Amino acid sequence: MSKNYRKLTEQIIFLVGGKENIKSVTNCATRLRFYLADEEKAKTEELKKTDGIAGVVKNGGQYQVIIGPDVDLVMEEIRKIGGIKVEGGAGAIREEKEKLTWKNAFGKFLGTVSTIFIPIIPCLAGAGILQAILILLKTAGIVPEDNQTYVMLNMVSGAVFYYLPVMLAFSSAKVFKCNQYMAAVMSFMLLHPTFMGLVEAGDSIRMFGIPVTLVKYSSSVLPAIFITLFMSVVERISKKFVPKAIKFITVPVITFVITSFVGFTVLGPIGTWCGNLLVVLFNWLDANIPWFCPVIMGTFSPLIVMTGMHNGLKTITYSQYALRGYATATSPGNLCSNVAQGAAAFVVGLKSKKSGKKQMAFSAAISAMIGGITEPALYGITLKYKSVLWSVMLGGGVAGLWAGFSRMRTYSPGPGSVLGLPCYVGGDSLQNVINAAIAIVISVAVTVVAMLVFGMKDVRKAEENEEETDTELDDLMEI
Protein backbone atom coordinates (compact mmCIF):
# COMPACT_ATOMS: atom_id res chain seq x y z
CA MET A 1 0.00 0.00 0.00
CA SER A 2 2.87 2.34 0.82
CA LYS A 3 4.30 1.69 -2.66
CA ASN A 4 0.98 2.76 -4.23
CA TYR A 5 1.00 6.02 -2.27
CA ARG A 6 4.59 6.64 -3.33
CA LYS A 7 3.65 6.18 -7.00
CA LEU A 8 0.63 8.48 -6.61
CA THR A 9 2.77 11.08 -4.85
CA GLU A 10 5.41 11.01 -7.59
CA GLN A 11 2.69 11.40 -10.23
CA ILE A 12 1.24 14.40 -8.40
CA ILE A 13 4.62 16.09 -8.04
CA PHE A 14 5.36 15.50 -11.72
CA LEU A 15 1.96 16.78 -12.88
CA VAL A 16 2.06 19.99 -10.80
CA GLY A 17 5.29 20.91 -12.56
CA GLY A 18 7.94 19.13 -10.52
CA LYS A 19 9.71 20.04 -7.29
CA GLU A 20 11.11 23.25 -8.73
CA ASN A 21 7.59 24.54 -9.37
CA ILE A 22 6.40 23.93 -5.80
CA LYS A 23 6.96 26.89 -3.46
CA SER A 24 5.32 25.13 -0.51
CA VAL A 25 2.65 22.55 0.25
CA THR A 26 0.30 21.94 3.14
CA ASN A 27 -2.76 19.78 3.64
CA CYS A 28 -6.18 19.86 5.30
CA ALA A 29 -8.56 16.98 5.98
CA THR A 30 -8.94 15.99 2.32
CA ARG A 31 -6.69 18.17 0.13
CA LEU A 32 -3.07 18.87 -0.74
CA ARG A 33 -2.76 22.64 -0.94
CA PHE A 34 0.10 23.71 -3.20
CA TYR A 35 1.54 27.17 -3.71
CA LEU A 36 3.09 26.94 -7.17
CA ALA A 37 5.60 29.24 -8.80
CA ASP A 38 3.69 28.93 -12.09
CA GLU A 39 0.24 27.33 -12.17
CA GLU A 40 0.40 27.16 -15.97
CA LYS A 41 3.02 24.41 -15.69
CA ALA A 42 0.57 22.14 -13.85
CA LYS A 43 -1.18 19.53 -16.02
CA THR A 44 -4.63 19.96 -14.47
CA GLU A 45 -6.56 17.70 -16.82
CA GLU A 46 -4.09 14.83 -16.39
CA LEU A 47 -4.30 15.27 -12.61
CA LYS A 48 -8.10 15.04 -12.69
CA LYS A 49 -7.89 11.74 -14.60
CA THR A 50 -5.34 10.17 -12.24
CA ASP A 51 -6.59 7.30 -10.08
CA GLY A 52 -6.55 8.36 -6.44
CA ILE A 53 -7.29 12.02 -7.20
CA ALA A 54 -10.87 13.21 -6.74
CA GLY A 55 -10.41 16.61 -8.35
CA VAL A 56 -8.42 19.84 -8.64
CA VAL A 57 -9.44 23.30 -7.43
CA LYS A 58 -7.76 26.69 -7.76
CA ASN A 59 -8.79 28.95 -4.91
CA GLY A 60 -7.24 31.96 -3.18
CA GLY A 61 -3.83 31.45 -4.78
CA GLN A 62 -3.77 27.78 -3.81
CA TYR A 63 -3.60 24.88 -6.25
CA GLN A 64 -5.61 22.25 -4.39
CA VAL A 65 -5.43 18.55 -5.25
CA ILE A 66 -8.35 16.61 -3.73
CA ILE A 67 -7.24 13.24 -2.33
CA GLY A 68 -9.83 12.38 0.32
CA PRO A 69 -9.32 10.91 3.81
CA ASP A 70 -5.95 9.38 2.79
CA VAL A 71 -4.37 12.79 2.15
CA ASP A 72 -2.16 12.48 5.23
CA LEU A 73 -0.56 9.33 3.77
CA VAL A 74 0.28 11.18 0.57
CA MET A 75 1.71 14.06 2.59
CA GLU A 76 3.87 11.58 4.48
CA GLU A 77 5.32 10.38 1.16
CA ILE A 78 6.01 13.99 0.14
CA ARG A 79 8.04 14.42 3.32
CA LYS A 80 9.94 11.20 2.60
CA ILE A 81 10.78 12.28 -0.94
CA GLY A 82 12.22 15.55 0.40
CA GLY A 83 13.24 18.70 -1.43
CA ILE A 84 9.79 20.28 -1.02
CA LYS A 85 8.92 22.89 1.57
CA VAL A 86 6.14 21.45 3.76
CA GLU A 87 4.30 23.89 5.99
CA GLY A 88 1.02 24.41 7.83
CA GLY A 89 -1.64 26.59 6.26
CA ALA A 90 -0.24 29.69 7.95
CA GLY A 91 3.18 29.33 6.39
CA ALA A 92 1.75 28.97 2.96
CA ILE A 93 -0.49 32.00 3.45
CA ARG A 94 2.47 34.04 4.61
CA GLU A 95 4.51 33.09 1.53
CA GLU A 96 1.88 34.22 -0.98
CA LYS A 97 2.86 37.66 -2.27
CA GLU A 98 0.67 37.99 -5.35
CA LYS A 99 -1.04 41.30 -6.10
CA LEU A 100 -4.12 41.75 -3.94
CA THR A 101 -7.43 42.13 -5.76
CA TRP A 102 -11.02 41.99 -4.55
CA LYS A 103 -11.38 38.57 -6.16
CA ASN A 104 -8.38 36.90 -4.59
CA ALA A 105 -8.88 38.83 -1.33
CA PHE A 106 -12.26 37.14 -0.95
CA GLY A 107 -10.66 33.79 -1.76
CA LYS A 108 -7.92 34.40 0.80
CA PHE A 109 -10.51 35.33 3.43
CA LEU A 110 -12.40 32.08 2.86
CA GLY A 111 -9.16 30.12 2.87
CA THR A 112 -8.15 31.75 6.15
CA VAL A 113 -11.48 30.95 7.82
CA SER A 114 -11.19 27.37 6.58
CA THR A 115 -7.67 27.03 7.97
CA ILE A 116 -8.77 28.40 11.34
CA PHE A 117 -11.71 26.00 11.70
CA ILE A 118 -10.17 22.78 10.39
CA PRO A 119 -8.14 21.90 13.55
CA ILE A 120 -11.22 22.56 15.72
CA ILE A 121 -13.75 20.52 13.75
CA PRO A 122 -12.97 17.18 15.50
CA CYS A 123 -13.57 18.84 18.90
CA LEU A 124 -16.86 20.38 17.77
CA ALA A 125 -18.08 17.20 16.09
CA GLY A 126 -17.09 14.99 19.03
CA ALA A 127 -18.66 17.29 21.61
CA GLY A 128 -21.75 17.74 19.44
CA ILE A 129 -22.33 14.01 19.06
CA LEU A 130 -21.69 13.47 22.79
CA GLN A 131 -24.29 16.12 23.66
CA ALA A 132 -26.74 14.59 21.21
CA ILE A 133 -26.29 11.14 22.75
CA LEU A 134 -26.81 12.53 26.24
CA ILE A 135 -29.98 14.31 25.12
CA LEU A 136 -31.21 11.11 23.48
CA LEU A 137 -30.57 9.09 26.66
CA LYS A 138 -32.30 11.72 28.79
CA THR A 139 -35.29 12.03 26.44
CA ALA A 140 -35.72 8.25 26.33
CA GLY A 141 -35.66 8.12 30.14
CA ILE A 142 -32.61 5.84 30.19
CA VAL A 143 -30.42 8.25 32.17
CA PRO A 144 -31.86 10.92 34.53
CA GLU A 145 -30.60 14.48 34.24
CA ASP A 146 -29.23 14.44 37.81
CA ASN A 147 -27.13 11.31 37.20
CA GLN A 148 -23.54 12.20 38.12
CA THR A 149 -22.04 10.56 35.04
CA TYR A 150 -24.52 12.48 32.88
CA VAL A 151 -23.60 15.73 34.64
CA MET A 152 -19.86 15.15 34.16
CA LEU A 153 -20.11 14.17 30.48
CA ASN A 154 -22.44 17.10 29.83
CA MET A 155 -19.82 19.35 31.39
CA VAL A 156 -17.11 17.87 29.14
CA SER A 157 -19.10 18.45 25.95
CA GLY A 158 -20.29 21.88 27.11
CA ALA A 159 -16.71 23.01 27.82
CA VAL A 160 -15.88 22.74 24.12
CA PHE A 161 -18.52 25.31 23.20
CA TYR A 162 -18.04 27.54 26.22
CA TYR A 163 -14.30 27.89 25.54
CA LEU A 164 -14.67 27.98 21.76
CA PRO A 165 -13.17 31.52 21.62
CA VAL A 166 -9.95 30.20 23.17
CA MET A 167 -9.63 27.37 20.63
CA LEU A 168 -10.35 29.80 17.80
CA ALA A 169 -7.74 32.23 19.12
CA PHE A 170 -5.11 29.48 19.37
CA SER A 171 -5.88 28.30 15.84
CA SER A 172 -6.05 31.86 14.48
CA ALA A 173 -2.66 32.68 15.97
CA LYS A 174 -1.07 29.94 13.88
CA VAL A 175 -2.64 31.41 10.75
CA PHE A 176 -1.74 35.02 11.62
CA LYS A 177 1.78 34.06 12.70
CA CYS A 178 1.76 35.30 16.29
CA ASN A 179 2.27 33.73 19.71
CA GLN A 180 -0.48 31.13 20.16
CA TYR A 181 -0.32 31.14 23.96
CA MET A 182 -0.60 34.93 24.17
CA ALA A 183 -3.56 34.74 21.81
CA ALA A 184 -5.18 32.18 24.11
CA VAL A 185 -4.71 34.58 27.03
CA MET A 186 -6.43 37.36 25.02
CA SER A 187 -9.49 35.13 24.67
CA PHE A 188 -9.38 33.80 28.22
CA MET A 189 -9.72 37.42 29.36
CA LEU A 190 -13.13 37.52 27.66
CA LEU A 191 -14.25 34.57 29.78
CA HIS A 192 -12.52 35.47 33.06
CA PRO A 193 -14.83 35.13 36.10
CA THR A 194 -14.18 38.76 37.08
CA PHE A 195 -15.31 40.12 33.72
CA MET A 196 -18.23 37.69 33.57
CA GLY A 197 -19.25 38.88 37.05
CA LEU A 198 -19.15 42.52 35.92
CA VAL A 199 -21.31 41.64 32.93
CA GLU A 200 -23.82 39.85 35.18
CA ALA A 201 -23.92 42.82 37.55
CA GLY A 202 -24.56 45.19 34.65
CA ASP A 203 -22.49 48.01 36.17
CA SER A 204 -20.74 50.57 33.96
CA ILE A 205 -17.12 49.67 33.18
CA ARG A 206 -14.41 51.92 31.76
CA MET A 207 -10.89 51.15 30.60
CA PHE A 208 -8.57 54.18 30.26
CA GLY A 209 -11.75 56.24 30.44
CA ILE A 210 -13.39 54.49 27.47
CA PRO A 211 -16.64 52.56 28.08
CA VAL A 212 -16.43 48.76 27.85
CA THR A 213 -19.41 47.06 26.27
CA LEU A 214 -20.88 44.39 28.54
CA VAL A 215 -21.04 41.27 26.39
CA LYS A 216 -20.98 37.54 27.17
CA TYR A 217 -18.32 36.07 24.91
CA SER A 218 -18.73 32.38 25.74
CA SER A 219 -19.36 30.32 22.56
CA SER A 220 -18.69 33.39 20.38
CA VAL A 221 -16.72 33.14 17.12
CA LEU A 222 -15.84 36.45 15.48
CA PRO A 223 -14.50 38.37 18.51
CA ALA A 224 -11.67 35.89 19.10
CA ILE A 225 -10.64 35.94 15.44
CA PHE A 226 -10.73 39.75 15.22
CA ILE A 227 -8.78 40.19 18.46
CA THR A 228 -6.13 37.65 17.46
CA LEU A 229 -5.62 39.32 14.08
CA PHE A 230 -5.15 42.69 15.81
CA MET A 231 -2.81 41.12 18.37
CA SER A 232 -0.62 39.75 15.58
CA VAL A 233 -0.14 43.27 14.24
CA VAL A 234 0.65 44.72 17.68
CA GLU A 235 3.12 41.94 18.43
CA ARG A 236 4.85 42.30 15.07
CA ILE A 237 5.24 46.08 15.40
CA SER A 238 6.43 45.80 19.02
CA LYS A 239 9.17 43.37 18.07
CA LYS A 240 10.51 45.84 15.50
CA PHE A 241 10.88 48.80 17.89
CA VAL A 242 11.62 47.26 21.29
CA PRO A 243 15.35 46.76 22.04
CA LYS A 244 16.47 43.13 22.08
CA ALA A 245 17.71 43.37 25.67
CA ILE A 246 14.17 43.89 27.03
CA LYS A 247 12.11 42.36 24.20
CA PHE A 248 11.37 39.11 26.05
CA ILE A 249 9.44 40.92 28.80
CA THR A 250 8.36 44.17 27.17
CA VAL A 251 6.70 42.82 24.00
CA PRO A 252 4.17 40.66 25.91
CA VAL A 253 3.30 43.57 28.23
CA ILE A 254 2.75 46.00 25.34
CA THR A 255 0.76 43.38 23.44
CA PHE A 256 -1.44 42.54 26.43
CA VAL A 257 -2.24 46.17 27.28
CA ILE A 258 -2.98 47.43 23.75
CA THR A 259 -4.82 44.29 22.60
CA SER A 260 -6.96 44.02 25.72
CA PHE A 261 -7.95 47.69 25.50
CA VAL A 262 -8.91 47.55 21.80
CA GLY A 263 -10.43 44.09 22.26
CA PHE A 264 -12.73 45.08 25.11
CA THR A 265 -13.74 48.48 23.72
CA VAL A 266 -13.85 47.92 19.95
CA LEU A 267 -13.15 44.52 18.40
CA GLY A 268 -15.02 42.32 20.83
CA PRO A 269 -18.27 44.28 20.58
CA ILE A 270 -17.97 44.63 16.79
CA GLY A 271 -17.49 40.90 16.37
CA THR A 272 -20.46 40.23 18.61
CA TRP A 273 -22.68 42.78 16.85
CA CYS A 274 -21.79 41.38 13.41
CA GLY A 275 -22.57 37.86 14.53
CA ASN A 276 -25.81 38.92 16.22
CA LEU A 277 -26.88 40.91 13.14
CA LEU A 278 -26.48 37.85 10.94
CA VAL A 279 -28.33 35.74 13.48
CA VAL A 280 -31.18 38.29 13.55
CA LEU A 281 -31.41 38.08 9.75
CA PHE A 282 -31.50 34.29 9.74
CA ASN A 283 -33.93 34.26 12.66
CA TRP A 284 -36.23 36.53 10.64
CA LEU A 285 -35.98 34.21 7.65
CA ASP A 286 -36.68 31.24 9.93
CA ALA A 287 -39.78 32.92 11.37
CA ASN A 288 -41.19 34.36 8.14
CA ILE A 289 -39.82 32.21 5.30
CA PRO A 290 -38.88 28.94 7.07
CA TRP A 291 -38.28 27.04 3.83
CA PHE A 292 -35.83 29.58 2.37
CA CYS A 293 -32.53 28.66 4.08
CA PRO A 294 -32.97 24.85 3.91
CA VAL A 295 -33.90 25.02 0.20
CA ILE A 296 -30.99 27.31 -0.66
CA MET A 297 -28.48 25.24 1.32
CA GLY A 298 -29.93 21.94 0.14
CA THR A 299 -29.78 23.02 -3.49
CA PHE A 300 -26.58 25.04 -3.69
CA SER A 301 -24.35 23.48 -1.01
CA PRO A 302 -22.06 21.86 -3.63
CA LEU A 303 -21.35 25.28 -5.13
CA ILE A 304 -21.11 26.95 -1.71
CA VAL A 305 -18.59 24.36 -0.51
CA MET A 306 -16.66 24.68 -3.75
CA THR A 307 -16.10 28.40 -3.10
CA GLY A 308 -15.38 27.85 0.61
CA MET A 309 -18.30 30.04 1.70
CA HIS A 310 -19.62 27.27 3.97
CA ASN A 311 -16.84 28.05 6.45
CA GLY A 312 -18.04 31.64 6.81
CA LEU A 313 -21.58 30.44 7.46
CA LYS A 314 -20.40 28.40 10.45
CA THR A 315 -20.21 31.60 12.50
CA ILE A 316 -23.97 32.06 12.05
CA THR A 317 -24.71 28.49 13.12
CA TYR A 318 -22.58 28.69 16.27
CA SER A 319 -24.05 32.08 17.14
CA GLN A 320 -27.56 30.59 16.84
CA TYR A 321 -26.54 27.81 19.25
CA ALA A 322 -25.24 30.40 21.70
CA LEU A 323 -28.29 32.68 21.52
CA ARG A 324 -31.17 30.26 20.81
CA GLY A 325 -29.99 26.82 21.83
CA TYR A 326 -30.61 25.44 18.34
CA ALA A 327 -29.69 26.28 14.74
CA THR A 328 -31.64 26.38 11.47
CA ALA A 329 -29.40 28.44 9.18
CA THR A 330 -27.28 25.79 7.47
CA SER A 331 -27.37 22.37 9.12
CA PRO A 332 -30.74 21.03 7.83
CA GLY A 333 -29.93 22.04 4.26
CA ASN A 334 -26.40 20.66 4.53
CA LEU A 335 -27.76 17.31 5.70
CA CYS A 336 -30.05 17.12 2.65
CA SER A 337 -27.25 18.03 0.25
CA ASN A 338 -24.60 15.78 1.80
CA VAL A 339 -26.90 12.76 1.71
CA ALA A 340 -27.82 13.57 -1.90
CA GLN A 341 -24.14 13.58 -2.85
CA GLY A 342 -23.64 10.27 -1.07
CA ALA A 343 -26.62 8.77 -2.91
CA ALA A 344 -25.38 10.04 -6.28
CA ALA A 345 -21.91 8.63 -5.64
CA PHE A 346 -23.42 5.28 -4.69
CA VAL A 347 -25.34 5.13 -7.98
CA VAL A 348 -22.15 5.97 -9.89
CA GLY A 349 -20.40 3.16 -8.02
CA LEU A 350 -23.13 0.71 -9.04
CA LYS A 351 -23.40 1.83 -12.67
CA SER A 352 -19.82 2.72 -13.61
CA LYS A 353 -17.90 0.30 -15.82
CA LYS A 354 -14.46 1.31 -14.52
CA SER A 355 -13.22 -0.50 -11.43
CA GLY A 356 -11.16 2.46 -10.23
CA LYS A 357 -14.13 4.78 -10.47
CA LYS A 358 -16.35 2.25 -8.70
CA GLN A 359 -13.99 2.07 -5.71
CA MET A 360 -13.65 5.85 -5.55
CA ALA A 361 -17.43 6.35 -5.83
CA PHE A 362 -18.30 3.85 -3.10
CA SER A 363 -15.66 5.36 -0.80
CA ALA A 364 -16.99 8.86 -1.51
CA ALA A 365 -20.57 7.67 -0.87
CA ILE A 366 -19.65 6.28 2.56
CA SER A 367 -17.69 9.43 3.43
CA ALA A 368 -20.64 11.69 2.56
CA MET A 369 -23.50 9.56 3.91
CA ILE A 370 -21.88 8.45 7.16
CA GLY A 371 -19.18 11.00 7.95
CA GLY A 372 -20.60 14.11 6.30
CA ILE A 373 -17.29 14.71 4.47
CA THR A 374 -18.30 15.48 0.90
CA GLU A 375 -15.05 16.60 -0.75
CA PRO A 376 -14.29 13.19 -2.34
CA ALA A 377 -17.80 13.02 -3.82
CA LEU A 378 -17.93 16.74 -4.61
CA TYR A 379 -14.69 16.98 -6.58
CA GLY A 380 -14.53 13.42 -7.84
CA ILE A 381 -18.12 13.10 -9.07
CA THR A 382 -20.62 15.90 -8.38
CA LEU A 383 -18.78 18.82 -9.96
CA LYS A 384 -17.07 16.64 -12.56
CA TYR A 385 -20.31 15.64 -14.29
CA LYS A 386 -23.05 18.22 -14.85
CA SER A 387 -25.83 15.64 -14.97
CA VAL A 388 -24.76 14.40 -11.52
CA LEU A 389 -24.66 17.97 -10.20
CA TRP A 390 -28.24 18.60 -11.37
CA SER A 391 -29.36 15.35 -9.73
CA VAL A 392 -27.70 16.27 -6.42
CA MET A 393 -29.13 19.80 -6.47
CA LEU A 394 -32.60 18.44 -7.19
CA GLY A 395 -32.45 15.84 -4.40
CA GLY A 396 -31.01 18.28 -1.88
CA GLY A 397 -33.46 21.04 -2.82
CA VAL A 398 -36.59 18.88 -2.57
CA ALA A 399 -35.45 17.47 0.76
CA GLY A 400 -34.58 21.02 1.88
CA LEU A 401 -38.15 22.07 1.12
CA TRP A 402 -39.39 19.38 3.52
CA ALA A 403 -36.80 20.47 6.10
CA GLY A 404 -38.09 24.03 5.88
CA PHE A 405 -41.79 23.30 6.11
CA SER A 406 -41.25 20.81 8.97
CA ARG A 407 -39.01 23.42 10.70
CA MET A 408 -36.09 21.08 11.22
CA ARG A 409 -33.39 22.31 13.58
CA THR A 410 -30.18 21.01 15.13
CA TYR A 411 -29.55 21.24 18.87
CA SER A 412 -25.79 20.67 18.69
CA PRO A 413 -23.06 20.66 16.03
CA GLY A 414 -22.21 17.42 14.32
CA PRO A 415 -21.71 15.86 10.91
CA GLY A 416 -24.34 16.53 8.27
CA SER A 417 -24.92 12.84 7.74
CA VAL A 418 -26.82 9.80 8.99
CA LEU A 419 -24.38 9.65 11.90
CA GLY A 420 -25.42 13.19 12.82
CA LEU A 421 -29.09 12.34 13.41
CA PRO A 422 -28.65 12.54 17.22
CA CYS A 423 -27.93 16.27 16.73
CA TYR A 424 -31.62 16.67 15.83
CA VAL A 425 -32.77 15.26 19.16
CA GLY A 426 -34.07 18.02 21.44
CA GLY A 427 -37.11 19.97 22.54
CA ASP A 428 -40.17 18.26 23.97
CA SER A 429 -40.53 15.42 21.46
CA LEU A 430 -38.71 13.24 18.97
CA GLN A 431 -40.64 14.70 16.01
CA ASN A 432 -37.65 16.81 14.94
CA VAL A 433 -35.35 13.81 14.56
CA ILE A 434 -38.16 11.95 12.75
CA ASN A 435 -38.41 14.88 10.34
CA ALA A 436 -34.65 14.70 9.79
CA ALA A 437 -34.89 10.99 9.02
CA ILE A 438 -37.69 11.71 6.53
CA ALA A 439 -35.52 14.40 4.91
CA ILE A 440 -32.76 11.81 4.44
CA VAL A 441 -35.20 9.39 2.80
CA ILE A 442 -36.52 12.12 0.48
CA SER A 443 -33.00 13.23 -0.46
CA VAL A 444 -31.89 9.68 -1.26
CA ALA A 445 -35.06 8.77 -3.15
CA VAL A 446 -35.18 11.91 -5.34
CA THR A 447 -31.45 11.79 -6.07
CA VAL A 448 -31.43 8.10 -6.98
CA VAL A 449 -34.42 8.53 -9.32
CA ALA A 450 -32.78 11.57 -10.94
CA MET A 451 -29.51 9.67 -11.34
CA LEU A 452 -31.26 6.70 -12.97
CA VAL A 453 -33.25 8.95 -15.31
CA PHE A 454 -30.56 11.39 -16.48
CA GLY A 455 -27.74 11.63 -13.92
CA MET A 456 -25.48 8.95 -15.42
CA LYS A 457 -25.53 10.53 -18.89
CA ASP A 458 -22.32 12.56 -18.54
CA VAL A 459 -20.61 9.80 -16.57
CA ARG A 460 -21.11 7.28 -19.37
CA LYS A 461 -20.04 9.82 -21.99
CA ALA A 462 -16.84 10.56 -20.07
CA GLU A 463 -16.02 6.88 -19.60
CA GLU A 464 -16.13 6.37 -23.35
CA ASN A 465 -13.39 8.97 -23.72
CA GLU A 466 -11.20 7.76 -20.84
CA GLU A 467 -10.14 4.34 -22.08
CA GLU A 468 -6.55 5.38 -22.83
CA THR A 469 -6.02 7.70 -19.84
CA ASP A 470 -3.65 5.40 -17.95
CA THR A 471 -1.48 4.77 -21.04
CA GLU A 472 -1.25 8.47 -21.81
CA LEU A 473 -0.17 9.24 -18.23
CA ASP A 474 2.56 6.57 -18.36
CA ASP A 475 3.83 8.09 -21.63
CA LEU A 476 3.96 11.53 -19.99
CA MET A 477 5.93 10.16 -17.05
CA GLU A 478 8.53 8.68 -19.41
CA ILE A 479 9.14 11.94 -21.28
Side-chain angles (χ1 to χ4, degrees):
M1 185 63 70
S2 176
K3 184 177 180 180
N4 292 337
Y5 285 117
R6 172 56 69 98
K7 181 180 178 181
L8 174 60
T9 303
E10 290 173 347
Q11 289 176 333
I12 293 172
I13 292 173
F14 171 76
L15 292 174
V16 298
K19 292 182 181 180
E20 64 279 2
N21 194 41
I22 301 174
K23 295 168 63 178
S24 64
V25 60
T26 183
N27 72 285
C28 62
T30 57
R31 318 177 191 185
L32 291 174
R33 298 170 178 261
F34 290 96
Y35 277 86
L36 302 180
D38 184 1
E39 287 190 0
E40 296 299 322
K41 292 183 179 179
K43 297 178 173 63
T44 301
E45 293 306 314
E46 284 85 349
L47 273 168
K48 289 180 178 179
K49 297 176 182 178
T50 303
D51 287 340
I53 295 177
V56 176
V57 175
K58 299 177 184 179
N59 186 18
Q62 293 181 345
Y63 190 88
Q64 302 173 7
V65 179
I66 316 302
I67 304 295
D70 293 337
V71 66
D72 57 328
L73 299 176
V74 177
M75 179 60 83
E76 184 179 344
E77 294 297 332
I78 291 177
R79 290 190 177 94
K80 290 179 181 178
I81 291 173
I84 299 173
K85 188 173 184 181
V86 177
E87 289 197 71
I93 290 172
R94 180 192 58 189
E95 288 232 338
E96 186 58 38
K97 300 294 184 180
E98 67 182 36
K99 184 179 179 181
L100 189 66
T101 65
W102 284 110
K103 182 178 179 180
N104 63 34
F106 183 63
K108 287 177 183 295
F109 169 75
L110 295 176
T112 300
V113 174
S114 174
T115 305
I116 290 171
F117 268 96
I118 283 171
I120 302 171
I121 289 175
C123 298
L124 295 172
I129 291 296
L130 178 56
Q131 279 196 350
I133 292 173
L134 291 173
I135 292 172
L136 186 61
L137 293 174
K138 182 184 71 173
T139 303
I142 298 174
V143 177
E145 192 172 4
D146 59 354
N147 178 276
Q148 291 186 349
T149 301
Y150 176 93
V151 171
M152 295 300 292
L153 289 177
N154 191 49
M155 177 193 68
V156 171
S157 60
V160 174
F161 303 107
Y162 186 87
Y163 291 105
L164 179 60
V166 179
M167 292 190 291
L168 286 171
F170 196 81
S171 182
S172 299
K174 185 175 182 180
V175 173
F176 300 138
K177 280 303 182 183
C178 58
N179 189 298
Q180 289 178 277
Y181 300 96
M182 290 173 61
V185 170
M186 291 293 93
S187 277
F188 270 124
M189 74 180 184
L190 303 176
L191 307 173
H192 195 281
T194 299
F195 180 68
M196 296 299 284
L198 293 171
V199 172
E200 290 289 343
D203 297 331
S204 175
I205 308 173
R206 291 181 176 272
M207 190 172 183
F208 297 112
I210 304 298
V212 173
T213 304
L214 302 178
V215 176
K216 288 186 177 181
Y217 291 104
S218 57
S219 303
S220 63
V221 174
L222 294 179
I225 297 176
F226 288 171
I227 290 172
T228 304
L229 176 59
F230 179 76
M231 193 203 88
S232 69
V233 175
V234 174
E235 184 184 46
R236 195 174 301 117
I237 294 175
S238 299
K239 287 180 178 179
K240 288 183 179 180
F241 294 99
V242 173
K244 288 185 177 180
I246 58 173
K247 184 177 295 186
F248 181 76
I249 297 175
T250 308
V251 169
V253 172
I254 294 174
T255 303
F256 283 159
V257 172
I258 295 178
T259 304
S260 62
F261 171 67
V262 176
F264 276 126
T265 58
V266 181
L267 297 178
I270 287 178
T272 300
W273 295 333
C274 289
N276 290 345
L277 182 62
L278 289 173
V279 172
V280 168
L281 172 62
F282 277 85
N283 286 349
W284 184 89
L285 290 171
D286 183 46
N288 296 277
I289 318 176
W291 53 267
F292 183 83
C293 290
V295 169
I296 293 298
M297 293 303 300
T299 304
F300 296 104
S301 269
L303 305 180
I304 292 172
V305 172
M306 178 188 68
T307 62
M309 291 174 62
H310 63 298
N311 290 299
L313 295 176
K314 290 176 182 177
T315 60
I316 301 170
T317 298
Y318 296 138
S319 295
Q320 282 191 327
Y321 285 133
L323 297 175
R324 305 173 70 183
Y326 61 85
T328 59
T330 62
S331 300
N334 281 338
L335 172 67
C336 299
S337 179
N338 291 354
V339 171
Q341 290 197 64
F346 187 75
V347 173
V348 172
L350 288 176
K351 295 290 185 177
S352 176
K353 297 178 180 179
K354 299 187 68 175
S355 60
K357 184 170 292 182
K358 281 179 173 290
Q359 294 175 19
M360 185 274 290
F362 284 133
S363 174
I366 294 173
S367 176
M369 293 280 287
I370 306 301
I373 298 176
T374 59
E375 278 85 353
L378 178 64
Y379 296 107
I381 299 173
T382 306
L383 296 177
K384 195 173 183 179
Y385 309 108
K386 290 182 180 179
S387 59
V388 176
L389 176 60
W390 298 131
S391 301
V392 168
M393 292 175 70
L394 179 62
V398 173
L401 191 62
W402 163 259
F405 281 122
S406 65
R407 293 185 174 271
M408 275 170 51
R409 56 186 60 173
T410 54
Y411 289 90
S412 61
S417 64
V418 175
L419 191 62
L421 273 177
C423 298
Y424 290 83
V425 178
D428 299 327
S429 71
L430 293 176
Q431 187 59 48
N432 188 62
V433 73
I434 293 173
N435 291 336
I438 293 174
I440 290 175
V441 173
I442 293 174
S443 181
V444 171
V446 174
T447 304
V448 168
V449 170
M451 286 294 296
L452 294 177
V453 173
F454 64 85
M456 287 297 296
K457 177 182 177 182
D458 291 340
V459 179
R460 293 193 182 98
K461 186 184 297 185
E463 287 183 350
E464 293 174 0
N465 300 324
E466 290 178 358
E467 295 297 330
E468 299 181 2
T469 297
D470 296 334
T471 303
E472 292 173 359
L473 183 57
D474 290 339
D475 292 341
L476 281 170
M477 294 291 289
E478 292 175 1
I479 296 175

